[in-house]
Amino acid sequence: MSNESGCGCGCSSKSNETLNITSKPTEEAMNQNDITLKIDGMTCGHCVSSVTEELNAVPGISKVEVALAAGGTSTATITTTAAVENAVLEAAVTEAGYTLVSVNA
Protein backbone atom coordinates (compact mmCIF):
# COMPACT_ATOMS: atom_id res chain seq x y z
CA MET A 1 0.00 0.00 0.00
CA SER A 2 1.55 3.27 -1.07
CA ASN A 3 1.12 6.58 0.70
CA GLU A 4 1.89 9.50 -1.64
CA SER A 5 2.77 11.86 1.19
CA GLY A 6 4.76 9.26 3.11
CA CYS A 7 7.60 6.87 2.57
CA GLY A 8 5.50 4.00 1.23
CA CYS A 9 5.30 1.67 4.25
CA GLY A 10 2.06 3.17 5.54
CA CYS A 11 3.46 5.06 8.53
CA SER A 12 2.99 8.54 6.97
CA SER A 13 6.65 9.46 7.51
CA LYS A 14 7.75 12.20 5.14
CA SER A 15 11.40 11.24 5.42
CA ASN A 16 13.11 8.21 3.96
CA GLU A 17 16.67 9.39 4.51
CA THR A 18 19.36 7.06 5.79
CA LEU A 19 18.67 6.25 9.43
CA ASN A 20 20.48 4.06 11.93
CA ILE A 21 18.90 2.79 15.15
CA THR A 22 20.94 0.84 17.64
CA SER A 23 19.52 -0.97 20.62
CA LYS A 24 21.72 -1.25 23.66
CA PRO A 25 22.55 -4.70 24.95
CA THR A 26 20.86 -5.62 28.21
CA GLU A 27 23.83 -7.57 29.50
CA GLU A 28 27.44 -8.31 28.59
CA ALA A 29 28.20 -11.80 27.36
CA MET A 30 31.58 -13.42 26.84
CA ASN A 31 30.67 -15.54 23.81
CA GLN A 32 29.14 -13.13 21.33
CA ASN A 33 28.82 -13.59 17.58
CA ASP A 34 27.91 -10.96 15.02
CA ILE A 35 25.57 -11.86 12.17
CA THR A 36 24.71 -9.57 9.25
CA LEU A 37 21.24 -9.71 7.72
CA LYS A 38 20.32 -8.16 4.37
CA ILE A 39 16.69 -7.00 4.34
CA ASP A 40 14.51 -5.66 1.50
CA GLY A 41 11.41 -3.48 1.73
CA MET A 42 12.40 -0.99 4.43
CA THR A 43 11.85 2.68 3.59
CA CYS A 44 11.85 4.75 6.80
CA GLY A 45 12.52 4.98 10.53
CA HIS A 46 9.27 3.19 11.32
CA CYS A 47 10.49 0.22 9.28
CA VAL A 48 13.80 0.23 11.18
CA SER A 49 11.94 0.32 14.50
CA SER A 50 9.72 -2.61 13.50
CA VAL A 51 12.65 -4.80 12.45
CA THR A 52 14.65 -3.81 15.54
CA GLU A 53 11.73 -4.68 17.84
CA GLU A 54 11.10 -8.08 16.25
CA LEU A 55 14.78 -9.08 16.26
CA ASN A 56 15.22 -7.92 19.88
CA ALA A 57 12.42 -10.32 20.85
CA VAL A 58 14.37 -13.35 19.57
CA PRO A 59 16.00 -15.33 22.40
CA GLY A 60 19.78 -15.29 22.09
CA ILE A 61 20.01 -11.86 20.46
CA SER A 62 21.64 -9.29 22.74
CA LYS A 63 22.07 -6.35 20.35
CA VAL A 64 20.50 -5.15 17.10
CA GLU A 65 21.79 -2.40 14.84
CA VAL A 66 19.83 -1.61 11.67
CA ALA A 67 21.17 0.61 8.88
CA LEU A 68 18.41 1.78 6.53
CA ALA A 69 19.07 1.96 2.81
CA ALA A 70 15.75 3.44 1.68
CA GLY A 71 14.71 1.91 -1.60
CA GLY A 72 17.56 -0.61 -1.46
CA THR A 73 18.75 -3.48 0.66
CA SER A 74 19.12 -2.51 4.31
CA THR A 75 21.52 -4.16 6.76
CA ALA A 76 20.88 -5.42 10.26
CA THR A 77 23.84 -6.47 12.38
CA ILE A 78 22.85 -8.61 15.32
CA THR A 79 24.96 -9.81 18.21
CA THR A 80 24.05 -13.23 19.56
CA THR A 81 24.89 -14.87 22.86
CA ALA A 82 23.45 -18.23 21.79
CA ALA A 83 22.84 -20.08 18.55
CA VAL A 84 19.95 -18.62 16.52
CA GLU A 85 18.62 -20.51 13.51
CA ASN A 86 18.24 -18.70 10.20
CA ALA A 87 14.57 -19.73 10.07
CA VAL A 88 13.96 -17.87 13.34
CA LEU A 89 15.67 -14.75 11.97
CA GLU A 90 13.60 -14.97 8.78
CA ALA A 91 10.39 -15.36 10.80
CA ALA A 92 11.22 -12.23 12.85
CA VAL A 93 11.94 -10.13 9.75
CA THR A 94 8.80 -11.45 8.04
CA GLU A 95 6.71 -10.68 11.15
CA ALA A 96 7.97 -7.08 10.92
CA GLY A 97 6.70 -7.01 7.32
CA TYR A 98 9.94 -7.24 5.34
CA THR A 99 11.98 -9.76 3.33
CA LEU A 100 15.17 -11.41 4.56
CA VAL A 101 17.51 -11.62 1.58
CA SER A 102 20.59 -13.20 3.19
CA VAL A 103 22.29 -14.13 6.46
CA ASN A 104 26.09 -13.90 6.87
CA ALA A 105 27.66 -15.14 10.07
Short mmCIF file of all heavy atoms in Angstrom, two decimals, residues 38-91:
data_model
loop_
_atom_site.label_atom_id
_atom_site.label_comp_id
_atom_site.label_asym_id
_atom_site.label_seq_id
_atom_site.Cartn_x
_atom_site.Cartn_y
_atom_site.Cartn_z
N LYS A 38 20.69 -9.07 5.45
CA LYS A 38 20.32 -8.16 4.37
C LYS A 38 18.80 -8.23 4.25
O LYS A 38 18.24 -9.33 4.15
CB LYS A 38 20.98 -8.56 3.05
CG LYS A 38 22.49 -8.53 3.08
CD LYS A 38 23.00 -7.12 3.17
CE LYS A 38 24.52 -7.09 3.09
NZ LYS A 38 25.06 -5.76 3.18
N ILE A 39 18.15 -7.06 4.27
CA ILE A 39 16.69 -7.00 4.34
C ILE A 39 16.16 -6.05 3.27
O ILE A 39 16.63 -4.91 3.15
CB ILE A 39 16.23 -6.53 5.73
CG1 ILE A 39 16.80 -7.47 6.81
CG2 ILE A 39 14.71 -6.42 5.81
CD1 ILE A 39 16.63 -6.95 8.23
N ASP A 40 15.16 -6.49 2.52
CA ASP A 40 14.51 -5.66 1.50
C ASP A 40 13.16 -5.17 1.99
O ASP A 40 12.50 -5.84 2.80
CB ASP A 40 14.29 -6.45 0.21
CG ASP A 40 15.53 -6.51 -0.67
OD1 ASP A 40 16.49 -5.74 -0.42
OD2 ASP A 40 15.54 -7.33 -1.61
N GLY A 41 12.75 -4.00 1.48
CA GLY A 41 11.41 -3.48 1.73
C GLY A 41 11.33 -2.36 2.75
O GLY A 41 10.27 -1.77 2.93
N MET A 42 12.42 -2.04 3.41
CA MET A 42 12.40 -0.99 4.43
C MET A 42 12.59 0.38 3.76
O MET A 42 13.41 0.52 2.87
CB MET A 42 13.51 -1.24 5.46
CG MET A 42 13.31 -2.53 6.22
SD MET A 42 14.73 -3.02 7.25
CE MET A 42 15.06 -1.53 8.16
N THR A 43 11.79 1.37 4.22
CA THR A 43 11.85 2.68 3.59
C THR A 43 12.00 3.86 4.55
O THR A 43 12.22 4.98 4.11
CB THR A 43 10.58 2.93 2.74
OG1 THR A 43 9.43 2.81 3.60
CG2 THR A 43 10.47 1.93 1.58
N CYS A 44 11.83 3.62 5.87
CA CYS A 44 11.85 4.75 6.80
C CYS A 44 12.20 4.31 8.22
O CYS A 44 12.44 3.12 8.48
CB CYS A 44 10.49 5.45 6.83
SG CYS A 44 9.19 4.43 7.56
N GLY A 45 12.21 5.25 9.13
CA GLY A 45 12.52 4.98 10.53
C GLY A 45 11.53 4.04 11.18
O GLY A 45 11.89 3.24 12.05
N HIS A 46 10.27 4.10 10.79
CA HIS A 46 9.27 3.19 11.32
C HIS A 46 9.62 1.75 10.94
O HIS A 46 9.49 0.83 11.76
CB HIS A 46 7.87 3.55 10.79
CG HIS A 46 6.82 2.59 11.20
ND1 HIS A 46 6.40 1.57 10.38
CD2 HIS A 46 6.11 2.47 12.35
CE1 HIS A 46 5.48 0.86 11.01
NE2 HIS A 46 5.29 1.38 12.21
N CYS A 47 10.08 1.55 9.73
CA CYS A 47 10.49 0.22 9.28
C CYS A 47 11.66 -0.28 10.12
O CYS A 47 11.67 -1.44 10.56
CB CYS A 47 10.93 0.28 7.81
SG CYS A 47 9.68 0.88 6.65
N VAL A 48 12.63 0.58 10.37
CA VAL A 48 13.80 0.23 11.18
C VAL A 48 13.35 -0.16 12.58
O VAL A 48 13.81 -1.16 13.14
CB VAL A 48 14.81 1.39 11.22
CG1 VAL A 48 15.93 1.11 12.22
CG2 VAL A 48 15.39 1.65 9.83
N SER A 49 12.44 0.62 13.15
CA SER A 49 11.94 0.32 14.50
C SER A 49 11.24 -1.03 14.55
O SER A 49 11.42 -1.79 15.50
CB SER A 49 10.97 1.41 14.97
OG SER A 49 11.64 2.62 15.13
N SER A 50 10.45 -1.34 13.54
CA SER A 50 9.72 -2.61 13.50
C SER A 50 10.67 -3.80 13.44
O SER A 50 10.52 -4.78 14.18
CB SER A 50 8.78 -2.66 12.29
OG SER A 50 7.77 -1.69 12.41
N VAL A 51 11.67 -3.72 12.58
CA VAL A 51 12.65 -4.80 12.45
C VAL A 51 13.45 -4.94 13.74
O VAL A 51 13.68 -6.05 14.24
CB VAL A 51 13.56 -4.58 11.23
CG1 VAL A 51 14.75 -5.54 11.25
CG2 VAL A 51 12.77 -4.73 9.94
N THR A 52 13.88 -3.80 14.30
CA THR A 52 14.65 -3.81 15.54
C THR A 52 13.86 -4.47 16.66
O THR A 52 14.37 -5.33 17.39
CB THR A 52 15.05 -2.38 15.95
OG1 THR A 52 15.84 -1.80 14.90
CG2 THR A 52 15.85 -2.36 17.24
N GLU A 53 12.59 -4.11 16.79
CA GLU A 53 11.73 -4.68 17.84
C GLU A 53 11.57 -6.19 17.69
O GLU A 53 11.69 -6.94 18.66
CB GLU A 53 10.37 -4.00 17.80
CG GLU A 53 9.40 -4.51 18.85
CD GLU A 53 8.05 -3.82 18.78
OE1 GLU A 53 7.96 -2.70 18.22
OE2 GLU A 53 7.08 -4.40 19.29
N GLU A 54 11.30 -6.65 16.48
CA GLU A 54 11.10 -8.08 16.25
C GLU A 54 12.39 -8.87 16.50
O GLU A 54 12.34 -9.95 17.09
CB GLU A 54 10.57 -8.35 14.84
CG GLU A 54 9.16 -7.88 14.61
CD GLU A 54 8.13 -8.58 15.48
OE1 GLU A 54 8.34 -9.74 15.88
OE2 GLU A 54 7.10 -7.95 15.77
N LEU A 55 13.52 -8.36 16.05
CA LEU A 55 14.78 -9.08 16.26
C LEU A 55 15.17 -9.07 17.73
O LEU A 55 15.70 -10.06 18.24
CB LEU A 55 15.89 -8.48 15.39
CG LEU A 55 15.77 -8.76 13.90
CD1 LEU A 55 16.80 -7.95 13.11
CD2 LEU A 55 15.92 -10.25 13.60
N ASN A 56 14.92 -7.98 18.44
CA ASN A 56 15.22 -7.92 19.88
C ASN A 56 14.41 -8.93 20.68
O ASN A 56 14.82 -9.33 21.76
CB ASN A 56 14.98 -6.52 20.44
CG ASN A 56 16.21 -5.65 20.35
OD1 ASN A 56 17.32 -6.11 20.53
ND2 ASN A 56 15.99 -4.38 20.06
N ALA A 57 13.27 -9.36 20.15
CA ALA A 57 12.42 -10.32 20.85
C ALA A 57 12.90 -11.76 20.69
O ALA A 57 12.41 -12.65 21.38
CB ALA A 57 10.98 -10.19 20.34
N VAL A 58 13.87 -11.99 19.81
CA VAL A 58 14.37 -13.35 19.57
C VAL A 58 15.33 -13.74 20.69
O VAL A 58 16.31 -13.03 20.95
CB VAL A 58 15.09 -13.43 18.20
CG1 VAL A 58 15.75 -14.79 18.01
CG2 VAL A 58 14.11 -13.13 17.06
N PRO A 59 15.08 -14.86 21.36
CA PRO A 59 16.00 -15.33 22.40
C PRO A 59 17.39 -15.57 21.82
O PRO A 59 17.53 -16.13 20.73
CB PRO A 59 15.37 -16.65 22.87
CG PRO A 59 13.93 -16.53 22.49
CD PRO A 59 13.90 -15.73 21.22
N GLY A 60 18.40 -15.11 22.53
CA GLY A 60 19.78 -15.29 22.09
C GLY A 60 20.36 -14.07 21.41
O GLY A 60 21.56 -14.00 21.19
N ILE A 61 19.51 -13.10 21.07
CA ILE A 61 20.01 -11.86 20.46
C ILE A 61 20.16 -10.82 21.55
O ILE A 61 19.21 -10.52 22.26
CB ILE A 61 19.08 -11.36 19.33
CG1 ILE A 61 19.08 -12.36 18.18
CG2 ILE A 61 19.51 -9.97 18.86
CD1 ILE A 61 18.18 -11.97 17.02
N SER A 62 21.38 -10.27 21.68
CA SER A 62 21.64 -9.29 22.74
C SER A 62 21.74 -7.87 22.22
O SER A 62 21.64 -6.93 23.00
CB SER A 62 22.93 -9.65 23.49
OG SER A 62 24.04 -9.58 22.62
N LYS A 63 21.94 -7.70 20.91
CA LYS A 63 22.07 -6.35 20.35
C LYS A 63 21.62 -6.37 18.89
O LYS A 63 21.89 -7.33 18.17
CB LYS A 63 23.53 -5.90 20.44
CG LYS A 63 23.80 -4.52 19.89
CD LYS A 63 25.27 -4.16 20.03
CE LYS A 63 25.58 -2.81 19.40
NZ LYS A 63 27.01 -2.53 19.42
N VAL A 64 20.95 -5.30 18.48
CA VAL A 64 20.50 -5.15 17.10
C VAL A 64 20.86 -3.76 16.62
O VAL A 64 20.56 -2.77 17.29
CB VAL A 64 18.96 -5.35 16.99
CG1 VAL A 64 18.50 -5.13 15.55
CG2 VAL A 64 18.54 -6.71 17.49
N GLU A 65 21.49 -3.69 15.46
CA GLU A 65 21.79 -2.40 14.84
C GLU A 65 21.33 -2.47 13.39
O GLU A 65 21.80 -3.32 12.63
CB GLU A 65 23.29 -2.12 14.90
CG GLU A 65 23.67 -0.77 14.34
CD GLU A 65 25.14 -0.46 14.51
OE1 GLU A 65 25.69 -0.77 15.57
OE2 GLU A 65 25.72 0.10 13.57
N VAL A 66 20.40 -1.59 13.02
CA VAL A 66 19.83 -1.61 11.67
C VAL A 66 20.24 -0.34 10.94
O VAL A 66 20.06 0.76 11.45
CB VAL A 66 18.29 -1.73 11.72
CG1 VAL A 66 17.72 -1.71 10.32
CG2 VAL A 66 17.86 -2.99 12.46
N ALA A 67 20.79 -0.51 9.74
CA ALA A 67 21.17 0.61 8.88
C ALA A 67 20.22 0.62 7.68
O ALA A 67 20.23 -0.30 6.86
CB ALA A 67 22.61 0.48 8.42
N LEU A 68 19.40 1.65 7.60
CA LEU A 68 18.41 1.78 6.53
C LEU A 68 19.07 2.22 5.23
O LEU A 68 19.86 3.16 5.20
CB LEU A 68 17.35 2.81 6.93
CG LEU A 68 16.29 3.15 5.89
CD1 LEU A 68 15.41 1.94 5.60
CD2 LEU A 68 15.45 4.32 6.36
N ALA A 69 18.71 1.54 4.16
CA ALA A 69 19.07 1.96 2.81
C ALA A 69 17.74 2.09 2.07
O ALA A 69 17.29 1.15 1.42
CB ALA A 69 19.98 0.95 2.15
N ALA A 70 17.08 3.23 2.24
CA ALA A 70 15.75 3.44 1.68
C ALA A 70 15.74 3.14 0.19
O ALA A 70 16.54 3.67 -0.56
CB ALA A 70 15.29 4.87 1.95
N GLY A 71 14.83 2.27 -0.20
CA GLY A 71 14.71 1.91 -1.60
C GLY A 71 15.70 0.85 -2.04
O GLY A 71 15.69 0.44 -3.19
N GLY A 72 16.57 0.41 -1.13
CA GLY A 72 17.56 -0.61 -1.46
C GLY A 72 17.53 -1.72 -0.44
O GLY A 72 16.53 -1.93 0.24
N THR A 73 18.64 -2.40 -0.31
CA THR A 73 18.75 -3.48 0.66
C THR A 73 19.39 -2.94 1.93
O THR A 73 20.53 -2.49 1.90
CB THR A 73 19.58 -4.65 0.08
OG1 THR A 73 18.95 -5.11 -1.11
CG2 THR A 73 19.69 -5.79 1.08
N SER A 74 18.64 -2.98 3.01
CA SER A 74 19.12 -2.51 4.31
C SER A 74 19.92 -3.61 5.00
O SER A 74 19.84 -4.78 4.63
CB SER A 74 17.94 -2.09 5.18
OG SER A 74 17.22 -1.03 4.57
N THR A 75 20.67 -3.22 6.02
CA THR A 75 21.52 -4.16 6.76
C THR A 75 21.17 -4.12 8.23
O THR A 75 21.03 -3.06 8.82
CB THR A 75 23.00 -3.79 6.59
OG1 THR A 75 23.33 -3.76 5.21
CG2 THR A 75 23.90 -4.78 7.29
N ALA A 76 21.04 -5.30 8.81
CA ALA A 76 20.88 -5.42 10.26
C ALA A 76 22.05 -6.25 10.77
O ALA A 76 22.30 -7.34 10.27
CB ALA A 76 19.56 -6.10 10.61
N THR A 77 22.76 -5.71 11.74
CA THR A 77 23.84 -6.47 12.38
C THR A 77 23.34 -6.84 13.76
O THR A 77 22.96 -5.97 14.55
CB THR A 77 25.12 -5.63 12.47
OG1 THR A 77 25.50 -5.22 11.15
CG2 THR A 77 26.25 -6.44 13.10
N ILE A 78 23.32 -8.15 14.02
CA ILE A 78 22.85 -8.61 15.32
C ILE A 78 24.01 -9.28 16.06
O ILE A 78 24.89 -9.87 15.44
CB ILE A 78 21.66 -9.59 15.20
CG1 ILE A 78 22.03 -10.82 14.39
CG2 ILE A 78 20.46 -8.88 14.59
CD1 ILE A 78 20.96 -11.90 14.39
N THR A 79 24.00 -9.14 17.37
CA THR A 79 24.96 -9.81 18.21
C THR A 79 24.21 -10.88 18.98
O THR A 79 23.19 -10.59 19.60
CB THR A 79 25.64 -8.82 19.18
OG1 THR A 79 26.27 -7.79 18.41
CG2 THR A 79 26.67 -9.51 20.05
N THR A 80 24.71 -12.11 18.90
CA THR A 80 24.05 -13.23 19.56
C THR A 80 24.90 -13.75 20.71
O THR A 80 26.13 -13.69 20.66
CB THR A 80 23.77 -14.38 18.59
OG1 THR A 80 25.00 -14.88 18.08
CG2 THR A 80 22.88 -13.93 17.43
N THR A 81 24.23 -14.24 21.73
CA THR A 81 24.89 -14.87 22.86
C THR A 81 24.60 -16.36 22.89
O THR A 81 25.10 -17.07 23.75
CB THR A 81 24.43 -14.24 24.18
OG1 THR A 81 23.02 -14.35 24.28
CG2 THR A 81 24.83 -12.77 24.25
N ALA A 82 23.80 -16.81 21.94
CA ALA A 82 23.45 -18.23 21.79
C ALA A 82 23.16 -18.48 20.32
O ALA A 82 22.95 -17.54 19.55
CB ALA A 82 22.22 -18.56 22.64
N ALA A 83 23.13 -19.73 19.94
CA ALA A 83 22.84 -20.08 18.55
C ALA A 83 21.42 -19.65 18.19
O ALA A 83 20.49 -19.86 18.97
CB ALA A 83 23.00 -21.57 18.33
N VAL A 84 21.27 -19.03 17.03
CA VAL A 84 19.95 -18.62 16.52
C VAL A 84 19.84 -19.15 15.09
O VAL A 84 20.68 -18.86 14.25
CB VAL A 84 19.80 -17.08 16.54
CG1 VAL A 84 18.44 -16.69 15.99
CG2 VAL A 84 20.00 -16.51 17.93
N GLU A 85 18.81 -19.92 14.84
CA GLU A 85 18.62 -20.51 13.51
C GLU A 85 18.18 -19.46 12.51
O GLU A 85 17.43 -18.53 12.84
CB GLU A 85 17.59 -21.63 13.57
CG GLU A 85 18.04 -22.83 14.40
CD GLU A 85 17.04 -23.96 14.36
OE1 GLU A 85 16.20 -24.00 13.43
OE2 GLU A 85 17.10 -24.80 15.27
N ASN A 86 18.62 -19.63 11.27
CA ASN A 86 18.24 -18.70 10.20
C ASN A 86 16.74 -18.62 10.03
O ASN A 86 16.20 -17.55 9.74
CB ASN A 86 18.89 -19.10 8.88
CG ASN A 86 20.39 -18.84 8.87
OD1 ASN A 86 20.95 -18.29 9.81
ND2 ASN A 86 21.05 -19.26 7.81
N ALA A 87 16.03 -19.72 10.21
CA ALA A 87 14.57 -19.73 10.07
C ALA A 87 13.92 -18.82 11.10
O ALA A 87 12.90 -18.18 10.82
CB ALA A 87 14.04 -21.15 10.19
N VAL A 88 14.50 -18.75 12.29
CA VAL A 88 13.96 -17.87 13.34
C VAL A 88 14.20 -16.42 12.97
O VAL A 88 13.32 -15.57 13.16
CB VAL A 88 14.61 -18.22 14.70
CG1 VAL A 88 14.20 -17.23 15.78
CG2 VAL A 88 14.25 -19.64 15.12
N LEU A 89 15.37 -16.12 12.41
CA LEU A 89 15.67 -14.75 11.97
C LEU A 89 14.72 -14.35 10.84
O LEU A 89 14.18 -13.24 10.83
CB LEU A 89 17.12 -14.64 11.52
CG LEU A 89 18.17 -14.93 12.58
CD1 LEU A 89 19.56 -14.95 11.95
CD2 LEU A 89 18.09 -13.91 13.71
N GLU A 90 14.51 -15.25 9.89
CA GLU A 90 13.60 -14.97 8.78
C GLU A 90 12.18 -14.73 9.28
O GLU A 90 11.50 -13.81 8.81
CB GLU A 90 13.62 -16.11 7.77
CG GLU A 90 12.75 -15.82 6.56
CD GLU A 90 12.89 -16.86 5.45
OE1 GLU A 90 13.45 -17.94 5.69
OE2 GLU A 90 12.42 -16.55 4.34
N ALA A 91 11.74 -15.52 10.25
CA ALA A 91 10.39 -15.36 10.80
C ALA A 91 10.24 -14.00 11.48
O ALA A 91 9.20 -13.34 11.34
CB ALA A 91 10.08 -16.48 11.80
#
